Amino acid sequence: MDSRDNTPDLDRLSRLAIDKAASRAARERVETRRRFIAGLGAGAVLTALGGATYVVSGCSESVEPPASASTPRSDGRPRIPPGQTLIERLRPMGKAEGGSEWVDASSWRLRVHGAVKKPLDLSLKDLRALPQVDQICDVHCVTTWSVLDAAFSGVRLSYLADLAGVEARAAHVIFESDAGYTANILLEEALAPDVLVAHAHDGLPLSPANGAPLRSIVPALYFWKSTKFLTGIRFQAVDEPGYWETRGYHNHADPWKEERYS
Amino acid sequence: MSGSWLRTLHRDLGFLAFGLTVVYAVSGVAVNHIGTWDPNFVREERTAELGPQTGQPSAVVAVAMERLGLSPATWSVDVVDDTRIDIKFKDGQASVNPKTGRAVARTDRARPVLRSMNWLHLNRGKGGWTWIADGYAVILGILAISGLCIAPVRRQLAGRGGVFLAIGIALPVGWVLLFGP
C-alpha cells in the first residue's frame, strides 16, 4: 500500500464531521458516506499526482467501504458483527481508567519499546511528522454498539514497528496507557494496515473522553483493545493479558466470533 | 424465621441501599438507551467561515473562537502546519485552516449528575468502589431473602405474593430461555 502522506485533510474530515452532525437520519448518513467516498476518490487522485493525502478505507483494504450496513465486507463477513446494534457516533462512557480530563499534549510522550532494536520516544509533534493516514473504519464495542464510518487520523502502527525494528522474537503487542491500563493484541494483528496510533477523530483532535491526545485504533477487534491515553507500545515474545483481559474479558476479542468474555 | 430483628435488618438495609439503588436505577435506564442518546455528554458542533487568514496563529485563533461563538476561560493552541491550527479547551476542540478560513469546533459538555452515576454504575473508577458495589449486591440479596421471610410477607406467599414472586423469577429465566445465549 502506498503511504505518501502527511497531515490529515482537515477540511475534508471536518466537512464529514459537520455533515454527520447535521444529518441524523440513517439515510442521510448513507449520503454522507457517499460524499466521503467521493472524497476518497479525490484523495486517490491527489496521491496519484504526488499530493498530500492518502486514504485507506479502514477495516478492509478495499478502496471503498461497503456502501451500506447490510453490504458484506470485502472479506465476506457481515459488516455488522453478530449481537451489535448501530449507533450514530462514538459514545465514550466517560474517561478511561486513570485518564486525565485535561492533558498537556505538548509534554505527552509515546514509547515504542520492548523487543525492538531501536526504542522510540516520540512527542506528539514527532508523531505528526511521520506519514499520516486518514482512515474510515467501523468500531465495535463489546457492550454491543457499533459505529460505522468513524474517521480517525494518525500513524500506522506498522510504520512505527518498522522504525523501531521489531525483533524476530516478538509475537505480541501490549498497549500501555496512562495510569497503568494495558491491552494486549497479537503482533500479526497489530501490524494490519488499519491499525493506527490516532490523534484525531472526525477531523478534530481527540477529545479527552476519546483518549486524548493519542489512542490506538484496532478496528478488527472489540474497541476496548483500542487503548485510550496511549503512552506506550511494547513488543514482546510472550502474551500478557491486559486490564480487562484479566478481569473476565476475552483475550482475543474478535467481534465476528463474539469473543466478549472468557 | 421471623421476629423484630429481621424486620429491623430489612428496614435498615433498605435505608442503606436507597442511595445506591437510585444511582443504579437511573444510570441503568440511561445507559440502556445509549443507542438513541448520549447518557454522558451533550455534543455541539459548530462551523465558521473566516475567509483566508494571514495573521499570527494567536490572532487567527482569536478570530476563529469569536466567530465560532466560543469563549472558554483558557485554551491551548497547537500549530500543526500552515493549513491547520488545533485548539483545545475545556469540554471541546476546534481546528482552523488559515488558508481557507474554515473553522470547526466540537464540544462535549458532560451531564454532571448522570455522568457521575454512570461512572459509578459501570465501575469506571475501580479500586474501593468495587468493594462498595459488591457490598451493595450482597445487601440486595439479603433484602430479597429477608423480605420473603418477614412473617406478614411469608403468609402472602400462598396467594398474591407467590404469583408475583413467580413472575419475578420467570421473567429473567424465560427471557434467557427464549432469547439468551
Side-chain angles (χ1 to χ4, degrees), chain A residues 169-185:
Chain A
R169 64 190 173 93
H172 301 272
V173 172
I174 312 300
F175 292 125
E176 301 169 330
S177 173
D178 203 18
Y181 178 92
T182 61
N184 58 318
I185 65 173

Side-chain angles (χ1 to χ4, degrees), chain B residues 1-52:
Chain B
M1 188 172 162
S2 63
S4 60
W5 70 270
L6 190 60
R7 282 193 295 275
T8 302
L9 176 71
H10 187 84
R11 182 196 62 208
D12 290 348
L13 287 180
F15 288 142
L16 195 59
F18 175 82
L20 281 173
T21 301
V22 171
V23 167
Y24 280 81
V26 172
S27 170
V29 172
V31 174
N32 268 352
H33 298 277
I34 195 171
T36 51
W37 83 312
D38 190 327
N40 288 307
F41 298 95
V42 177
R43 172 166 291 189
E44 189 177 357
E45 288 175 321
R46 305 177 186 205
T47 182
E49 299 292 347
L50 318 177

Side-chain angles (χ1 to χ4, degrees), chain B residues 126-176:
Chain B
K126 311 296 179 221
W129 187 255
T130 301
W131 295 102
I132 294 173
D134 286 351
Y136 174 62
V138 170
I139 288 174
L140 286 183
I142 295 173
L143 280 173
I145 295 168
S146 63
L148 293 178
C149 297
I150 294 171
V153 176
R154 199 171 64 231
R155 284 194 291 274
Q156 292 178 3
L157 287 176
R160 190 175 73 156
V163 173
F164 282 123
L165 179 64
I167 292 172
I169 293 171
L171 269 175
V173 172
W175 198 265
V176 168

Side-chain angles (χ1 to χ4, degrees), chain A:
Chain A
M1 299 178 75
D2 195 351
S3 60
R4 289 172 293 166
D5 327 307
N6 50 31
T7 53
D9 185 338
L10 166 66
D11 281 351
R12 185 165 43 76
L13 288 179
S14 63
R15 276 197 295 276
L16 173 70
I18 298 302
D19 284 348
K20 287 171 79 171
S23 57
R24 297 299 180 205
R27 182 177 178 82
E28 288 176 338
R29 277 179 46 78
V30 170
E31 290 304 314
T32 301
R33 282 198 299 275
R34 287 177 179 161
R35 280 199 299 277
F36 192 85
I37 290 166
L40 294 184
V45 170
L46 282 174
T47 301
L49 297 174
T53 301
Y54 180 80
V55 180
V56 64
S57 67
C59 302
S60 65
E61 289 192 59
S62 63
V63 174
E64 290 192 2
S68 72
S70 59
T71 306
R73 294 154 43 99
S74 58
D75 60 10
R77 296 188 293 185
R79 190 166 183 197
I80 304 171
Q84 297 295 109
T85 301
L86 284 186
I87 64 175
E88 291 177 359
R89 61 176 169 83
L90 299 186
R91 298 251 166 87
M93 296 306 294
K95 64 182 182 180
E97 291 64 34
S100 306
E101 288 290 332
W102 179 256
V103 293
D104 181 5
S106 63
S107 61
W108 196 266
R109 310 296 295 189
L110 175 71
R111 294 175 66 220
V112 180
H113 62 115
V116 296
K117 299 182 181 97
K118 295 173 290 181
L120 307 176
D121 186 2
L122 305 170
S123 68
L124 198 56
K125 199 168 184 176
D126 295 333
L127 199 80
R128 284 217 191 97
L130 300 177
Q132 301 289 303
V133 172
D134 298 338
Q135 174 167 299
I136 301 294
C137 63
D138 300 341
V139 166
H140 309 294
C141 179
V142 68
T143 58
T144 74
W145 57 258
S146 291
V147 172
L148 303 184
D149 295 338
F152 293 99
S153 302
V155 175
R156 283 202 183 94
L157 192 148
S158 59
Y159 187 88
L160 296 174
D162 285 345
L163 272 186
V166 178
E167 295 175 359
R169 64 190 173 93
H172 301 272
V173 172
I174 312 300
F175 292 125
E176 301 169 330
S177 173
D178 203 18
Y181 178 92
T182 61
N184 58 318
I185 65 173
L186 293 168
L187 176 66
E188 64 187 75
E189 293 180 324
L191 298 182
D194 60 357
V195 175
L196 296 187
V197 173
H199 52 72
H201 170 50
D202 276 350
L204 287 172
L206 287 174
S207 66
N210 271 322
L214 292 176
R215 74 176 302 166
S216 60
I217 297 295
V218 189
L221 301 175
Y222 281 125
F223 209 40
W224 88 77
K225 299 283 191 179
S226 298
T227 305
K228 297 176 178 178
F229 312 107
L230 191 68
T231 57
I233 302 170
R234 180 172 13 115
F235 294 86
Q236 57 188 50
V238 295
D239 195 9
E240 184 182 306
Y243 184 92
W244 287 114
E245 292 80 6
T246 56
R247 288 166 172 78
Y249 281 59
H250 200 281
N251 197 51
H252 183 223
D254 184 335
W256 286 269
K257 295 178 181 171
E258 290 208 73
E259 294 174 341
R260 300 177 195 273
Y261 311 107
S262 54

